Each structure stands twice: as structure tokens, then as C-alpha cells.
Amino acid sequence: MQSSLSLSLTIPRPNHAALARDSPFAKISHSTKPINLRFCGLRREALGFSSPILTRRVHLHSSRATQLVSASLSNNGSAPKSFDYDLLIIGAGVGGHGAALHAVEKGLKTAIVEGDVVGGTCVNRGCVPSKALLAVSGRMRELQNEHHLKALGLQVSAAGYDRQGVADHANNLASKIRNNLTNSMKAIGVDILTGFGSVLGPQKVKVGSDKVVTAKNIIIATGSVPFVPKGIEVDGKTVITSDHALKLESVPDWIAIVGSGYIGLEFSDVYTALGSEVTFIEALDQLMPGFDPEIGKLAQRVLINPRKIDYHTGVFATKITPAKDGKPVIIELIDAKTKEPKDTLEVDAALIATGRAPFTQGLGLENINVATQRGFVPVDERMRVIDADGKLVPHLYCIGDANGKMMLAHAASAQGISVVEQVTGRDHVLNHLSIPAACFTHPEISMVGLTEPQAREKAEKEGFEVSIAKTSFKANTKALAENEGEGIAKDIKLAVHAHPTLSEVLDELFKSAKVKAHVSSPVSEPVAV
Ligand SMILES: Cc1cc2nc3c(=O)[nH]c(=O)nc-3n(C[C@H](O)[C@H](O)[C@H](O)COP(=O)(O)OP(=O)(O)OC[C@H]3O[C@@H](n4cnc5c(N)ncnc54)[C@H](O)[C@@H]3O)c2cc1C
Ligand SMILES: NC(=O)c1ccc[n+]([C@@H]2O[C@H](COP(=O)([O-])OP(=O)(O)OC[C@H]3O[C@@H](n4cnc5c(N)ncnc54)[C@H](O)[C@@H]3O)[C@@H](O)[C@H]2O)c1
């Protein structure tokens, strides 16, 4: 029997006081976060495959869509007999936004409730500002790499940056995308209702303190907030989460990053490019435990070892005290296995990147007999909410980070689109294994599907063989022209690639694969209704 790398990490209760300050709506609950492991390819650019999530959409005529919605509804219990909206979405993050646009396209009268600003985590505190900072770190890295520049025949005398200018770039980009999102919804007639949304009963939602809205279908899309383990005191200045780090109010000389997942890695890229020294603190035995082990090793060689980064693995940060009265940030570490005290670090700052917790507090789920599981809203494969007795709650769905299936922006919006397909009469199940992910370090790491150990474990159970195909960027013309031949790709089949691009490396991979292609799209075959 092959051993499995399917890791599951139990995380202690978060620091409620810190979260109350940091999150838009205060407090958060306990979380156990499964770590996703997928096949990976390490490269400077994303590998160039995209998920054909929308390719099999069935476009229904608006009136037909409305008929189907009405036909599929059964007015149970205290549900209202007529509705203000066909669809009401709680949370205007990327998941809610994607669902809202698709719903209007399908002819549904749609409203979205937002208690903070439109755009949610991704636009305001996640993907967008972090990628703006990573665009800066990528260029800084190129300018700083004298050896690389010389190989291209270039000379640069000095590379410097203006911290405020970099911070403004990230902030301005977030504002721009936030406005785009807001305008795109207003332009097509989505009602944006401002206020905190909570479920009052079946098909009934309270918005703010006194408004009550009814809807045939409701989607919960309330997202997540940074998870801060107990004992860690976040002051927002010297002990920070990604919410603070993205504002780039300072660039510390020495920063400890607790957690070497996506957030930890991406920020290590930013901080080291801007001149910080980084110390990783990782609870598991290796850095980047969520990645395919071979890719993890390569990433260690390329992203960690050559940089001003050191690390402690197999240790938990149990207590972190912010800098005060001239004293540095103090981090107490214990051995993750024996729980014995291991070390104490004194650093200028600490970034807590230990995962995200669902934001589902105050949603009124108890009013409809729904109990969250470690804060996540339980859903089936169609994002339909499951109640405390294991039954599906009619007309209620949950998408995105709040259901914990896959904490990625494009997964949230794909789930939203999937739900809209269902409420307009088309059965639709997303295949999450076909949804790619990318870590936007320099070079980047992208992945889709199972990791090698996961594939081997599945093969052992289900009785098939695993064939590993692997290719390198060392012979790729585009990579060599960029003087960036470091990197590999493992497994993916059937795609046509533009020339000259880095993704041509995949063609090589496919040619060398011994297995027959198993092509699966992110959507299941449609079921006629
Ligand atoms: C630093 C960072 C970088 C990231 N980078 C990437 C990336 O590059 N690519 C990627 O795919 N993913 C990335 N992610 C993850 C991505 O941001 C999330 O997966 C995504 O935002 C989830 O979308 P969502 O719609 O589920 O929730 P969110 O975007 O969190 O939106 C939820 C919205 O609901 C609102 N809300 C909550 N409760 C209520 C309520 N009761 N009433 C009214 N409104 C409410 C919130 O104010 C918020 O606007 C990143 C995350 C972080 C933190
Ligand atoms: N490019 C992207 O797509 C992107 C970028 C950033 C964030 N995200 C999303 O945001 C989510 C959160 O990211 P994240 O990096 O915070 O979480 P993560 O789950 O990716 O990594 C958290 C890491 O922290 C470690 N850890 C947890 N508690 C610890 C402790 N007390 N001491 C030491 N180590 C500890 C875990 O072992 C793990 O390696 C991810 O799941 C990802 O989906 C995506």
C-alpha cells in the first residue's frame, strides 16, 4: 500500500479579538483545513491551460428560464408565496459576482447583498493586490539578477523602489477592479443591497437592521477571513495577516512568515525582492507541504535556497507577541510532534499565513436548522446546503470559500455559475479536480488534478497503473530565449499550444506520456430536464 500525502491539519481556535479587528464583520470560528494536493508544474509563467468551465453552457431564453425556476420551486413551510427576486446572493465577492452576472444573463431577477465593499477578498484583500505586488517583485528580481541580465547582454546600474509607490499600485488596482465589478453588476440590472445579510427563514433574508427581502433561491457567498491560531496576537503593524501585508505599510528587515502555503510563498517572493530577510515557520515536516513532493523539492531549490530565506519545519508557532517598547516581535515555537518547547525567535515582524477561516457568523443558519462544520456551510456536490438532519435545504446554496471545497477565486465563480445553471433547470456538477491553481511566485507553480502520491494511492485502491510523464523547460526555445530554462511539467494531455510559448513544453510532455488520455471537463455531462 502506498502511503498517502493527503494531509489534514487540525488548527487550534483562532484569536477572536484579533479577528474582530481585522475582519469586515468581526469574529470567526474554529477551522480544520484540508490541504489540497495536485499535480504540479513549476514555471516562470502559468502553464497556459485554462479550464473550459463555460464551454458547455446551455443558454435558455429568459422567459423559459423564469418558467423553469417557477416550476422547480415548491413553496414549503413558512416560505413566502410571491418573491422580490428570483435569486438573492449574500456576499459580493468573486463568487457572488460571477453568479449574479450569469443569473441576469439567464433572465433571473437578481439581487446581491454586501455588508462591506464589492469585490470581497479577491479584489480588495487577495488575488488582485497580491498580484500587483508580485508584478513588482518579478521586475525587481530581474533588475537585481546581474548574472541573468549579463547573459542577455544588458547592464543595469542599480535597482531601487519607492515603497509608497508600490503600495499605491496595489491599492489603485484593487479600486479599479472593484469599480469595474460594481459597474458591471449595475449595468445589467443586479440590485446591490448594502448591509449585512442573514437568513430569517426559508427564502427570506434580512438585510441590515430592518429590511426583509424574499427570493426564490438564495446563494450564500460570504467568503473567508485570515485564520489566526490561538496565542498569536495580531497588532496589524509588527504581527500582521495578509490583509495588512497587502497595504505594504512597511518592509521589515527581517520577517518571519508562519505557514508556507500559497500566501506564505507569494509574500516571501515579494518581501525578499524588496530586501527583507525571511524566516519560514512551518508546522509540517517540509516547506510547501500542499504541493506535489517533487515540485516542492524543485521549488525549494529555486524559490527558497538561493534567496535570503531560512526556515524551521516541524514546528508550531504557539505564541507571538508584537514588538513593543523597543522589544522585537517574539515567537515561541514548539515541536509539532512532541509539543515540547523548541525555540524562541526575535524578529522585526511576523506574517501569519496559516490558512483562511470561513466567514459564516451571524448568518442566521440556525433559523433553518443548518449547523456549520468548523465554520464551513455543509453542501453536496451541487453546492446545495445540507441541514443538521442531513437533508437538503430547498432553494439554498453555498459557494466559494464559505463551503471550503476549494478556496480559489475561479472555483468560487465556477460554483456560482453552476448553481445558476441548476436553478434555471439544468443539472450541473463541477469537477473540482479539473480546476487548476497557480502560485504566482517567480517562477510560478501551477497545478491541476491529483499529485503523484494521490494518483498512486487511488491506483492502488482502484486497480489501475500510474504512468508519470515529465518534461523540462531546458530545451524550450522561449524559455531559453528568456534565459529561464529551470522548471519541469508533469502530466496533462490533449491541448494545442501557440508557438513560441512556454506552454509548448506540455506538448513534449504529452508525446512522452504512455497512458491514454483521460479527458475530463470541469462540468459533468449535462442531464436534460
Ligand atoms: C492574499 C490572498 C491572495 C489570493 N490570491 C488568489 C489568486 O491569485 N487566485 C485565486 O484563485 N485565489 C486567490 N485567493 C483566494 C480568493 O481570494 C478566494 O478564494 C476568493 O476571494 C473567494 O471568493 P468568495 O466569493 O467565496 O468570498 P470573498 O471574496 O471573501 O467574498 C465574500 C463577500 O461576502 C461579504 N459578506 C460576508 N458575510 C456577509 C453577510 N452576512 N452579509 C453581506 N455580505 C457579507 C464580504 O464582505 C465579502 O465581500 C487569494 C486569497 C488571499 C487572502
Ligand atoms: N495564488 C493563489 O491562488 C492563492 C494565493 C494566496 C492564497 N490563496 C488561497 O488562500 C488560502 C489560504 O492560504 P494560506 O497560505 O494561508 O493557507 P495554506 O493552507 O495554503 O497554508 C497554510 C500553511 O500554514 C501551516 N500552518 C498552519 N498553522 C501553523 C502554525 N501554527 N505554525 C506553523 N505553520 C502552520 C500549514 O501547515 C500550511 O502549510 C489557500 O487555501 C489558497 O486557496 C490562493
Side-chain angles (χ1 to χ4, degrees), residues 216-228:
K216 290 174 187 168
N217 295 285
I218 295 169
I219 300 180
I220 295 168
T222 52
S224 66
V225 293
F227 167 74
V228 180

Side-chain angles (χ1 to χ4, degrees), residues 19-339:
L19 282 161
R21 278 195 308 275
D22 299 336
S23 83
F25 303 119
K27 42 187 184 50
I28 199 64
S29 76
H30 184 90
S31 155
T32 300
K33 181 155 184 342
I35 296 171
N36 292 326
L37 301 167
R38 282 165 240 129
F39 258 140
C40 312
L42 179 66
R43 218 13 267 158
R44 177 172 279 273
E45 279 177 10
L47 288 176
F49 53 84
S50 64
S51 76
I53 289 161
L54 302 180
T55 51
R56 296 193 190 176
R57 277 198 219 162
V58 174
H59 291 274
L60 298 169
H61 187 270
S62 303
S63 58
R64 169 78 177 132
T66 312
Q67 277 169 18
L68 283 168
V69 174
S70 312
S72 70
L73 292 173
S74 65
N75 228 343
N76 67 330
S78 58
K81 295 230 168 2
S82 65
F83 300 94
D84 299 317
Y85 293 100
D86 296 323
L87 179 67
L88 183 121
I89 302 156
I90 308 179
V94 280
H97 173 259
L101 293 193
H102 194 55
V104 173
E105 190 187 313
K106 291 278 183 172
L108 302 187
K109 189 179 176 201
T110 304
I112 196 160
V113 184
E114 176 54 58
D116 191 23
V117 286
V118 165
T121 304
C122 181
V123 174
N124 302 296
R125 300 172 295 276
C127 334
V128 172
S130 67
K131 264 75 260 179
L133 295 182
L134 283 155
V136 172
S137 67
R139 280 166 178 77
M140 276 300 282
R141 231 165 250 303
E142 291 196 356
L143 292 172
Q144 289 162 347
N145 191 341
E146 220 180 305
H147 174 71
H148 172 85
L149 292 174
K150 266 192 191 153
L152 300 177
L154 295 173
Q155 292 167 356
V156 174
S157 53
Y161 67 92
D162 156 30
R163 183 195 56 75
Q164 191 57 52
V166 177
D168 289 348
H169 167 57
N171 190 34
N172 293 342
L173 184 68
S175 305
K176 190 173 173 182
I177 307 280
R178 183 167 60 240
N179 290 340
N180 288 351
L181 249 59
T182 310
N183 293 340
S184 65
M185 290 195 288
K186 283 185 179 162
I188 60 165
V190 176
D191 280 355
I192 302 175
L193 311 178
T194 305
F196 187 88
S198 58
V199 180
L200 283 180
Q203 297 165 296
K204 206 183 279 181
V205 167
K206 188 167 141 189
V207 181
S209 54
D210 47 14
K211 192 177 171 78
V212 176
V213 184
T214 60
K216 290 174 187 168
N217 295 285
I218 295 169
I219 300 180
I220 295 168
T222 52
S224 66
V225 293
F227 167 74
V228 180
K230 193 180 162 196
I232 295 179
E233 192 187 332
V234 172
D235 69 349
K237 299 219 172 311
T238 58
V239 181
I240 58 178
T241 66
S242 55
D243 287 356
H244 310 104
L246 289 166
K247 294 184 188 145
L248 203 71
E249 282 176 355
S250 67
V251 179
D253 289 341
W254 185 9
I255 184 162
I257 300 185
V258 186
S260 64
Y262 283 84
I263 293 180
L265 264 191
E266 289 190 349
F267 273 104
S268 75
D269 196 284
V270 171
Y271 280 121
T272 51
L274 299 185
S276 305
E277 286 186 33
V278 166
T279 297
F280 269 116
I281 294 162
E282 170 55 55
L284 295 175
D285 284 341
Q286 66 193 66
L287 291 180
M288 301 158 277
F291 300 152
D292 180 277
E294 186 176 7
I295 301 297
K297 272 190 202 141
L298 181 54
Q300 168 109 17
R301 185 155 64 77
V302 177
L303 293 172
I304 306 289
N305 297 347
R307 299 183 181 173
K308 284 186 177 171
I309 299 180
D310 73 347
Y311 51 89
H312 300 257
T313 52
V315 288
F316 270 117
T318 45
K319 190 169 179 210
I320 302 188
T321 317
K324 207 173 162 190
D325 303 329
K327 286 193 195 136
V329 172
I330 299 170
I331 304 180
E332 292 174 29
L333 303 179
I334 62 163
D335 186 293
K337 289 197 184 97
T338 65
K339 308 286 180 274

